[in-house]
Amino acid sequence: MNLLTAGQARGRDYQPPSGSRLIGEVSRTLRDAGTRRDVTADEAAGIEAVASVLRDVFVAVSAGDIDTAARTVNQMLTFSGARPELERHDGSGWHLHYTSADRTMVNGWAAGCAASLAVVLGGPLYDRLGVCTAPHCDRVYVDISRNGTRRFCSTACQNRVKTAAFRARQAGTITAGPASRDIPADAIRPSRS
């Protein structure tokens, strides 16, 4: 999604690849995920459209609008004709895949992604879908941390925010807390009982 949707990334405007670069990037990404062939221009454009709709789900969840996220996922499930199917390939055992009724690559990916998001949205960890909270970044992420407190799409954004806060404190533009007041020394000494 982050590769194929426009917006801001790590403090800069971001435009997704287009033309032959889009085809190459989508092909590379899908090959990394197990697809055994390059995509056509139409398939790359279709995957780009799917990414845009998937991004809408993350944005809705991040805004606390789970109803909109669920409606969007339901529309994707219907549009793609998602249906569960047990498959076995590459020497692995039987496992569940979601495929499209028409067996096209784009609808197949839409079906699998929509089904995965449906499982997440229907469970207690739906709030693990997020949008980066760093200024000038709107990339999405899935929080797989143990405590579920991730706020940034990447370590780069987290470091950028921490560095900006540190520099602001050093410049005196942010206070660390309420102004301190003098406390008598004997108030903080342990008692001698």
Coordinates of all heavy atoms in Angstrom, one line a residue, residues 7-93:
G7 N 0.9 10.5 -1.2 CA 0.8 11.2 0.1 C 2.1 11.7 0.6 O 2.8 12.4 -0.2
Q8 N 2.4 11.5 1.8 CA 3.6 11.9 2.4 C 4.3 10.8 3.1 O 3.7 9.9 3.7 CB 3.4 13.0 3.4 CG 2.8 14.3 2.8 CD 2.7 15.4 3.8 OE1 2.2 15.2 4.9 NE2 3.1 16.6 3.4
A9 N 5.6 10.7 2.9 CA 6.4 9.6 3.5 C 7.7 10.2 4.1 O 8.5 10.9 3.4 CB 6.8 8.6 2.4
R10 N 7.9 10.0 5.4 CA 9.1 10.4 6.1 C 9.4 11.9 5.9 O 10.6 12.2 5.7 CB 10.2 9.5 5.7 CG 10.0 8.0 6.1 CD 11.1 7.2 5.7 NE 10.7 5.8 6.1 CZ 11.3 4.7 5.6 NH1 12.2 4.8 4.7 NH2 10.9 3.6 6.0
G11 N 8.4 12.7 5.9 CA 8.6 14.1 5.9 C 8.7 14.7 4.5 O 8.9 15.9 4.4
R12 N 8.4 13.9 3.5 CA 8.4 14.5 2.1 C 7.2 14.0 1.4 O 6.6 13.0 1.7 CB 9.7 13.9 1.4 CG 11.0 14.4 2.0 CD 12.1 13.9 1.1 NE 13.4 14.5 1.6 CZ 14.2 13.9 2.4 NH1 14.0 12.6 2.7 NH2 15.3 14.5 2.8
D13 N 6.8 14.8 0.3 CA 5.7 14.4 -0.5 C 6.2 13.1 -1.3 O 7.3 13.0 -1.6 CB 5.4 15.5 -1.6 CG 4.7 16.7 -0.9 OD1 4.1 16.5 0.2 OD2 4.8 17.8 -1.5
Y14 N 5.2 12.3 -1.5 CA 5.5 11.0 -2.1 C 4.5 10.7 -3.3 O 3.3 10.9 -3.1 CB 5.4 9.8 -1.1 CG 5.6 8.5 -1.8 CD1 6.9 8.0 -2.1 CD2 4.5 7.7 -2.1 CE1 7.0 6.8 -2.8 CE2 4.7 6.5 -2.8 CZ 5.9 6.0 -3.1 OH 6.1 4.8 -3.7
Q15 N 5.1 10.4 -4.4 CA 4.3 10.0 -5.6 C 4.7 8.6 -5.9 O 5.8 8.3 -6.0 CB 4.5 10.9 -6.8 CG 4.0 12.3 -6.6 CD 2.4 12.3 -6.4 OE1 1.7 11.6 -7.2 NE2 1.9 13.0 -5.5
P16 N 3.7 7.7 -6.1 CA 4.0 6.3 -6.5 C 4.6 6.3 -7.9 O 4.4 7.2 -8.7 CB 2.6 5.6 -6.4 CG 1.6 6.7 -6.6 CD 2.2 8.0 -6.0
P17 N 5.3 5.2 -8.1 CA 5.8 5.0 -9.5 C 4.7 4.9 -10.5 O 3.6 4.6 -10.2 CB 6.6 3.7 -9.4 CG 6.0 3.0 -8.2 CD 5.5 4.0 -7.3
S18 N 5.1 5.2 -11.8 CA 4.1 5.1 -12.8 C 4.8 4.5 -14.1 O 6.0 4.3 -14.1 CB 3.6 6.5 -13.2 OG 4.6 7.4 -13.6
G19 N 3.9 4.2 -15.0 CA 4.5 3.6 -16.3 C 5.2 2.3 -16.1 O 4.8 1.4 -15.3
S20 N 6.3 2.2 -16.7 CA 7.1 0.9 -16.7 C 7.7 0.7 -15.3 O 7.9 -0.4 -14.8 CB 8.2 0.9 -17.7 OG 9.1 2.0 -17.5
R21 N 8.0 1.8 -14.5 CA 8.5 1.7 -13.2 C 7.4 1.1 -12.3 O 7.7 0.3 -11.4 CB 8.9 3.0 -12.6 CG 9.8 2.9 -11.4 CD 10.5 4.2 -11.1 NE 10.6 4.2 -9.6 CZ 10.1 5.1 -8.8 NH1 9.4 6.1 -9.3 NH2 10.2 5.0 -7.5
L22 N 6.1 1.4 -12.5 CA 5.0 0.8 -11.7 C 5.0 -0.6 -12.0 O 4.9 -1.5 -11.0 CB 3.7 1.5 -12.0 CG 2.5 0.8 -11.5 CD1 2.4 1.0 -9.9 CD2 1.2 1.4 -12.1
I23 N 5.0 -1.0 -13.2 CA 5.0 -2.5 -13.6 C 6.1 -3.2 -12.9 O 6.0 -4.3 -12.3 CB 5.0 -2.6 -15.1 CG1 3.8 -2.0 -15.7 CG2 5.2 -4.1 -15.5 CD1 3.9 -1.9 -17.3
G24 N 7.3 -2.6 -13.0 CA 8.5 -3.3 -12.4 C 8.4 -3.4 -10.8 O 8.7 -4.4 -10.3
E25 N 7.9 -2.3 -10.2 CA 7.8 -2.4 -8.7 C 6.7 -3.4 -8.3 O 6.9 -4.1 -7.3 CB 7.5 -1.0 -8.2 CG 8.7 0.0 -8.2 CD 9.8 -0.4 -7.3 OE1 9.6 -1.0 -6.3 OE2 11.0 0.0 -7.7
V26 N 5.6 -3.4 -8.9 CA 4.5 -4.3 -8.6 C 5.0 -5.7 -8.8 O 4.8 -6.6 -8.0 CB 3.2 -4.0 -9.3 CG1 2.2 -5.1 -9.1 CG2 2.6 -2.6 -8.9
S27 N 5.6 -5.9 -10.0 CA 6.1 -7.3 -10.3 C 7.1 -7.8 -9.2 O 7.1 -8.9 -8.8 CB 6.8 -7.3 -11.7 OG 5.9 -7.1 -12.7
R28 N 8.1 -6.9 -8.9 CA 9.1 -7.2 -7.8 C 8.4 -7.6 -6.5 O 8.7 -8.6 -5.9 CB 10.1 -6.1 -7.7 CG 11.2 -6.4 -6.6 CD 12.0 -5.2 -6.3 NE 11.3 -4.1 -5.9 CZ 10.7 -3.9 -4.7 NH1 10.9 -4.8 -3.7 NH2 10.1 -2.8 -4.3
T29 N 7.5 -6.7 -6.1 CA 6.8 -6.9 -4.8 C 6.0 -8.2 -4.8 O 6.1 -9.0 -3.8 CB 5.9 -5.7 -4.5 OG1 6.7 -4.5 -4.5 CG2 5.2 -5.9 -3.2
L30 N 5.3 -8.5 -5.9 CA 4.5 -9.7 -5.9 C 5.4 -10.9 -6.1 O 5.1 -12.0 -5.5 CB 3.5 -9.6 -7.1 CG 2.4 -8.6 -6.9 CD1 1.4 -8.6 -8.1 CD2 1.7 -8.7 -5.6
R31 N 6.5 -10.8 -6.8 CA 7.5 -12.0 -6.8 C 8.0 -12.3 -5.4 O 8.1 -13.4 -5.1 CB 8.6 -11.6 -7.7 CG 8.5 -12.2 -9.1 CD 9.8 -12.1 -9.9 NE 10.6 -10.9 -9.8 CZ 10.4 -9.8 -10.5 NH1 9.5 -9.8 -11.5 NH2 11.2 -8.8 -10.3
D32 N 8.3 -11.2 -4.6 CA 8.7 -11.4 -3.3 C 7.7 -12.2 -2.4 O 8.0 -12.8 -1.5 CB 9.1 -10.1 -2.6 CG 10.3 -9.5 -3.2 OD1 11.1 -10.1 -3.9 OD2 10.6 -8.3 -2.9
A33 N 6.4 -12.0 -2.8 CA 5.3 -12.6 -2.1 C 4.9 -14.0 -2.7 O 3.9 -14.6 -2.3 CB 4.1 -11.7 -2.1
G34 N 5.6 -14.4 -3.7 CA 5.4 -15.8 -4.3 C 4.8 -15.9 -5.6 O 4.6 -17.0 -6.2
T35 N 4.5 -14.7 -6.3 CA 3.9 -14.8 -7.6 C 5.1 -15.1 -8.6 O 6.2 -14.5 -8.5 CB 3.3 -13.4 -8.0 OG1 2.3 -13.1 -7.1 CG2 2.8 -13.4 -9.4
R36 N 4.9 -16.0 -9.5 CA 5.9 -16.5 -10.3 C 6.1 -15.8 -11.7 O 6.8 -16.3 -12.5 CB 5.7 -18.0 -10.6 CG 5.8 -18.8 -9.3 CD 5.6 -20.2 -9.6 NE 5.3 -21.0 -8.4 CZ 6.2 -21.4 -7.5 NH1 7.5 -21.1 -7.7 NH2 5.9 -22.1 -6.5
R37 N 5.4 -14.7 -11.9 CA 5.5 -14.0 -13.2 C 5.4 -12.5 -13.0 O 4.9 -12.0 -12.0 CB 4.5 -14.5 -14.1 CG 3.1 -14.1 -13.7 CD 2.1 -14.5 -14.8 NE 0.7 -14.1 -14.5 CZ 0.2 -12.9 -14.6 NH1 0.9 -11.9 -15.1 NH2 -1.1 -12.7 -14.3
D38 N 5.9 -11.8 -14.0 CA 5.7 -10.3 -14.0 C 4.3 -10.0 -14.3 O 3.5 -10.8 -14.9 CB 6.6 -9.7 -15.0 CG 8.1 -9.7 -14.6 OD1 8.4 -9.9 -13.4 OD2 9.0 -9.5 -15.5
V39 N 3.9 -8.8 -13.9 CA 2.5 -8.4 -14.2 C 2.4 -7.5 -15.4 O 3.4 -7.0 -15.9 CB 1.9 -7.6 -13.0 CG1 1.9 -8.4 -11.7 CG2 2.7 -6.3 -12.8
T40 N 1.2 -7.5 -16.0 CA 1.0 -6.6 -17.2 C 0.7 -5.2 -16.7 O 0.5 -5.0 -15.5 CB -0.2 -7.1 -18.0 OG1 -1.4 -7.0 -17.2 CG2 0.0 -8.6 -18.4
A41 N 0.7 -4.3 -17.6 CA 0.3 -2.9 -17.3 C -1.0 -2.8 -16.6 O -1.2 -2.0 -15.6 CB 0.4 -2.0 -18.5
D42 N -2.0 -3.5 -17.2 CA -3.4 -3.5 -16.6 C -3.4 -4.1 -15.2 O -4.1 -3.6 -14.3 CB -4.3 -4.2 -17.5 CG -4.7 -3.5 -18.8 OD1 -4.4 -2.2 -18.9 OD2 -5.2 -4.1 -19.8
E43 N -2.7 -5.2 -15.0 CA -2.6 -5.8 -13.7 C -2.0 -4.8 -12.7 O -2.5 -4.7 -11.5 CB -1.9 -7.1 -13.7 CG -2.7 -8.2 -14.4 CD -1.8 -9.4 -14.7 OE1 -0.6 -9.3 -14.8 OE2 -2.5 -10.5 -14.8
A44 N -0.9 -4.2 -13.1 CA -0.2 -3.2 -12.2 C -1.2 -2.1 -11.8 O -1.2 -1.7 -10.6 CB 1.0 -2.7 -12.8
A45 N -1.9 -1.6 -12.7 CA -2.9 -0.5 -12.4 C -4.0 -1.0 -11.5 O -4.5 -0.3 -10.6 CB -3.5 0.0 -13.7
G46 N -4.4 -2.3 -11.7 CA -5.4 -2.9 -10.9 C -4.9 -3.1 -9.4 O -5.7 -2.8 -8.5
I47 N -3.7 -3.5 -9.3 CA -3.1 -3.7 -7.9 C -3.0 -2.3 -7.3 O -3.3 -2.2 -6.1 CB -1.8 -4.4 -8.0 CG1 -1.9 -5.9 -8.6 CG2 -1.0 -4.4 -6.7 CD1 -2.6 -6.8 -7.6
E48 N -2.6 -1.3 -8.1 CA -2.5 0.0 -7.5 C -3.9 0.5 -7.0 O -4.0 1.1 -5.9 CB -2.0 1.0 -8.6 CG -1.8 2.4 -8.1 CD -1.2 3.3 -9.2 OE1 -1.6 3.1 -10.4 OE2 -0.4 4.1 -8.9
A49 N -5.0 0.2 -7.7 CA -6.3 0.6 -7.3 C -6.7 -0.2 -6.0 O -7.3 0.4 -5.1 CB -7.3 0.3 -8.4
V50 N -6.4 -1.4 -5.9 CA -6.6 -2.2 -4.7 C -5.9 -1.6 -3.5 O -6.5 -1.5 -2.5 CB -6.2 -3.7 -4.9 CG1 -6.3 -4.5 -3.6 CG2 -7.1 -4.4 -6.0
A51 N -4.7 -1.2 -3.7 CA -3.9 -0.6 -2.7 C -4.5 0.6 -2.1 O -4.5 0.9 -0.9 CB -2.5 -0.3 -3.1
S52 N -5.1 1.4 -3.0 CA -5.8 2.7 -2.6 C -7.0 2.4 -1.7 O -7.2 3.0 -0.7 CB -6.2 3.4 -3.9 OG -6.9 4.6 -3.5
V53 N -7.8 1.4 -2.1 CA -8.9 1.0 -1.3 C -8.5 0.4 0.1 O -9.0 0.7 1.1 CB -9.8 0.0 -2.0 CG1 -11.0 -0.5 -1.1 CG2 -10.4 0.6 -3.3
L54 N -7.4 -0.4 0.0 CA -6.9 -1.0 1.3 C -6.5 0.1 2.2 O -6.7 0.1 3.4 CB -5.8 -1.9 1.0 CG -6.1 -3.2 0.3 CD1 -4.9 -4.0 -0.1 CD2 -7.1 -4.1 1.1
R55 N -5.8 1.1 1.7 CA -5.4 2.3 2.5 C -6.5 3.0 3.2 O -6.4 3.4 4.3 CB -4.6 3.3 1.6 CG -4.1 4.5 2.3 CD -3.4 5.4 1.4 NE -3.0 6.6 2.1 CZ -2.2 6.6 3.1 NH1 -1.6 5.5 3.5 NH2 -2.0 7.7 3.8
D56 N -7.7 3.1 2.5 CA -8.9 3.7 3.1 C -9.3 2.9 4.3 O -9.8 3.5 5.3 CB -10.0 3.7 2.0 CG -9.8 4.6 0.9 OD1 -8.9 5.5 1.0 OD2 -10.5 4.5 -0.1
V57 N -9.1 1.6 4.3 CA -9.5 0.8 5.5 C -8.6 1.2 6.7 O -9.0 1.4 7.8 CB -9.3 -0.7 5.2 CG1 -9.5 -1.5 6.5 CG2 -10.3 -1.1 4.1
F58 N -7.3 1.3 6.5 CA -6.3 1.7 7.5 C -6.6 3.1 8.0 O -6.6 3.3 9.2 CB -4.9 1.7 7.0 CG -4.3 0.3 7.0 CD1 -4.7 -0.7 6.1 CD2 -3.3 -0.1 7.9 CE1 -4.1 -1.9 6.0 CE2 -2.7 -1.3 7.9 CZ -3.2 -2.3 7.0
V59 N -6.9 4.0 7.1 CA -7.2 5.4 7.5 C -8.5 5.4 8.4 O -8.6 6.1 9.4 CB -7.4 6.3 6.3 CG1 -7.9 7.7 6.7 CG2 -6.0 6.5 5.6
A60 N -9.5 4.7 8.0 CA -10.8 4.6 8.7 C -10.5 4.1 10.1 O -11.0 4.6 11.1 CB -11.8 3.8 8.0
V61 N -9.8 3.0 10.2 CA -9.5 2.4 11.5 C -8.7 3.4 12.4 O -9.0 3.5 13.6 CB -8.7 1.0 11.4 CG1 -8.2 0.6 12.8 CG2 -9.6 0.0 10.8
S62 N -7.7 4.0 11.8 CA -6.9 5.0 12.6 C -7.8 6.1 13.1 O -7.5 6.7 14.2 CB -5.8 5.5 11.7 OG -4.9 6.2 12.4
A63 N -8.8 6.5 12.4 CA -9.7 7.6 12.8 C -10.8 7.1 13.7 O -11.6 7.9 14.2 CB -10.3 8.2 11.5
G64 N -10.8 5.8 14.0 CA -11.8 5.2 14.9 C -13.1 4.9 14.3 O -14.1 4.6 14.9
D65 N -13.1 4.9 12.9 CA -14.4 4.7 12.2 C -14.4 3.2 11.7 O -14.2 3.0 10.5 CB -14.5 5.7 11.0 CG -15.8 5.6 10.4 OD1 -16.7 4.8 10.7 OD2 -16.0 6.5 9.4
I66 N -14.6 2.3 12.6 CA -14.6 0.9 12.3 C -15.7 0.5 11.3 O -15.6 -0.4 10.5 CB -14.6 0.0 13.6 CG1 -13.5 0.5 14.5 CG2 -14.5 -1.4 13.3 CD1 -12.1 0.6 14.0
D67 N -16.9 1.2 11.5 CA -18.0 0.9 10.6 C -17.6 1.1 9.1 O -17.9 0.3 8.3 CB -19.2 1.7 11.0 CG -19.8 1.4 12.3 OD1 -19.5 0.2 12.8 OD2 -20.5 2.2 12.9
T68 N -17.0 2.3 8.8 CA -16.6 2.6 7.5 C -15.6 1.5 7.0 O -15.6 1.1 5.8 CB -16.0 4.0 7.3 OG1 -17.1 4.9 7.6 CG2 -15.5 4.3 5.9
A69 N -14.6 1.2 7.8 CA -13.6 0.2 7.5 C -14.3 -1.1 7.1 O -13.9 -1.8 6.1 CB -12.6 0.0 8.6
A70 N -15.2 -1.6 8.0 CA -15.9 -2.8 7.7 C -16.7 -2.8 6.4 O -16.7 -3.8 5.7 CB -16.8 -3.2 8.9
R71 N -17.4 -1.7 6.2 CA -18.2 -1.6 4.9 C -17.3 -1.6 3.7 O -17.6 -2.3 2.7 CB -19.0 -0.3 4.9 CG -20.3 -0.4 5.7 CD -21.2 0.8 5.4 NE -20.6 2.1 5.9 CZ -20.7 2.6 7.1 NH1 -21.4 1.9 8.0 NH2 -20.2 3.7 7.4
T72 N -16.1 -1.0 3.8 CA -15.2 -1.0 2.7 C -14.6 -2.4 2.4 O -14.6 -2.9 1.3 CB -14.0 -0.1 3.0 OG1 -14.5 1.3 3.2 CG2 -13.0 0.0 1.8
V73 N -14.3 -3.1 3.5 CA -13.8 -4.5 3.4 C -14.9 -5.4 2.8 O -14.7 -6.2 1.9 CB -13.3 -5.1 4.7 CG1 -13.1 -6.6 4.7 CG2 -12.0 -4.4 5.1
N74 N -16.2 -5.2 3.3 CA -17.3 -6.0 2.7 C -17.5 -5.8 1.2 O -17.7 -6.7 0.5 CB -18.6 -5.7 3.5 CG -18.6 -6.4 4.8 OD1 -18.0 -7.4 5.0 ND2 -19.4 -5.9 5.7
Q75 N -17.3 -4.5 0.8 CA -17.4 -4.2 -0.6 C -16.3 -4.9 -1.4 O -16.6 -5.4 -2.5 CB -17.4 -2.7 -0.8 CG -18.6 -2.0 -0.4 CD -18.5 -0.5 -0.3 OE1 -17.4 0.1 -0.5 NE2 -19.6 0.2 -0.1
M76 N -15.1 -4.9 -0.8 CA -14.0 -5.6 -1.5 C -14.2 -7.1 -1.6 O -13.9 -7.7 -2.6 CB -12.7 -5.3 -0.8 CG -12.1 -4.0 -1.0 SD -10.4 -3.9 -0.3 CE -9.5 -4.9 -1.4
L77 N -14.8 -7.7 -0.5 CA -15.1 -9.1 -0.6 C -16.1 -9.4 -1.6 O -15.9 -10.4 -2.4 CB -15.6 -9.6 0.8 CG -14.6 -9.6 1.9 CD1 -15.2 -9.7 3.3 CD2 -13.5 -10.7 1.7
T78 N -17.1 -8.6 -1.8 CA -18.2 -8.8 -2.8 C -17.6 -8.6 -4.2 O -17.8 -9.4 -5.1 CB -19.3 -7.9 -2.5 OG1 -19.9 -8.1 -1.2 CG2 -20.4 -8.0 -3.6
F79 N -16.9 -7.5 -4.4 CA -16.4 -7.1 -5.7 C -15.4 -8.2 -6.2 O -15.4 -8.6 -7.4 CB -15.7 -5.8 -5.6 CG -14.9 -5.4 -6.9 CD1 -15.6 -5.0 -8.0 CD2 -13.6 -5.6 -7.0 CE1 -14.9 -4.6 -9.2 CE2 -12.9 -5.3 -8.1 CZ -13.6 -4.8 -9.2
S80 N -14.6 -8.7 -5.3 CA -13.5 -9.6 -5.7 C -14.1 -11.0 -5.8 O -13.4 -11.9 -6.4 CB -12.4 -9.6 -4.7 OG -12.8 -10.1 -3.5
G81 N -15.2 -11.3 -5.3 CA -15.8 -12.6 -5.3 C -15.0 -13.6 -4.4 O -14.8 -14.7 -4.8
A82 N -14.5 -13.1 -3.3 CA -13.6 -13.8 -2.4 C -14.3 -15.1 -2.0 O -15.5 -15.1 -1.6 CB -13.3 -13.0 -1.2
R83 N -13.5 -16.2 -2.1 CA -14.0 -17.5 -1.6 C -12.9 -18.3 -1.0 O -11.7 -18.2 -1.6 CB -14.8 -18.2 -2.6 CG -13.9 -18.6 -3.8 CD -14.7 -19.4 -4.8 NE -13.7 -20.0 -5.7 CZ -14.1 -20.5 -6.9 NH1 -15.3 -20.5 -7.2 NH2 -13.2 -21.1 -7.6
P84 N -13.1 -18.9 0.1 CA -12.0 -19.7 0.7 C -11.7 -21.0 -0.1 O -12.6 -21.5 -0.7 CB -12.5 -20.1 2.1 CG -14.0 -20.0 2.0 CD -14.3 -19.0 0.9
E85 N -10.5 -21.4 -0.1 CA -10.1 -22.6 -0.8 C -8.8 -23.2 -0.2 O -7.9 -22.4 0.2 CB -9.8 -22.2 -2.3 CG -9.7 -23.4 -3.2 CD -9.6 -22.9 -4.6 OE1 -10.7 -22.6 -5.2 OE2 -8.5 -22.9 -5.2
L86 N -8.8 -24.4 0.0 CA -7.6 -25.1 0.6 C -6.7 -25.4 -0.6 O -7.1 -25.9 -1.6 CB -8.0 -26.4 1.3 CG -8.7 -26.2 2.6 CD1 -9.2 -27.6 3.1 CD2 -7.7 -25.6 3.6
E87 N -5.4 -25.0 -0.4 CA -4.4 -25.2 -1.4 C -3.2 -25.9 -0.8 O -2.9 -25.7 0.4 CB -4.0 -23.9 -2.1 CG -5.2 -23.3 -2.9 CD -4.7 -22.1 -3.7 OE1 -3.5 -21.8 -3.8 OE2 -5.6 -21.4 -4.2
R88 N -2.4 -26.6 -1.7 CA -1.2 -27.1 -1.3 C -0.2 -26.9 -2.5 O -0.5 -27.2 -3.6 CB -1.3 -28.6 -1.0 CG 0.0 -29.2 -0.5 CD -0.1 -30.5 0.1 NE -0.8 -31.5 -0.8 CZ -1.0 -32.7 -0.5 NH1 -0.7 -33.2 0.7 NH2 -1.7 -33.5 -1.3
H89 N 0.9 -26.2 -2.1 CA 1.9 -25.9 -3.2 C 3.3 -25.8 -2.6 O 3.4 -25.7 -1.3 CB 1.5 -24.7 -4.0 CG 1.3 -23.5 -3.1 ND1 2.3 -22.7 -2.6 CD2 0.1 -23.0 -2.6 CE1 1.8 -21.7 -1.8 NE2 0.5 -21.9 -1.8
D90 N 4.3 -25.9 -3.4 CA 5.7 -25.7 -3.0 C 6.1 -26.6 -1.8 O 6.8 -26.2 -0.9 CB 6.0 -24.2 -2.6 CG 5.7 -23.3 -3.7 OD1 5.9 -23.7 -4.9 OD2 5.3 -22.1 -3.5
G91 N 5.5 -27.8 -1.8 CA 5.9 -28.8 -0.8 C 5.3 -28.5 0.6 O 5.6 -29.2 1.6
S92 N 4.4 -27.5 0.7 CA 3.8 -27.3 2.0 C 2.5 -28.1 2.1 O 2.0 -28.7 1.2 CB 3.4 -25.8 2.1 OG 2.4 -25.4 1.2
G93 N 2.0 -28.2 3.3 CA 0.7 -28.9 3.6 C -0.4 -28.0 3.1 O -0.3 -26.9 2.6

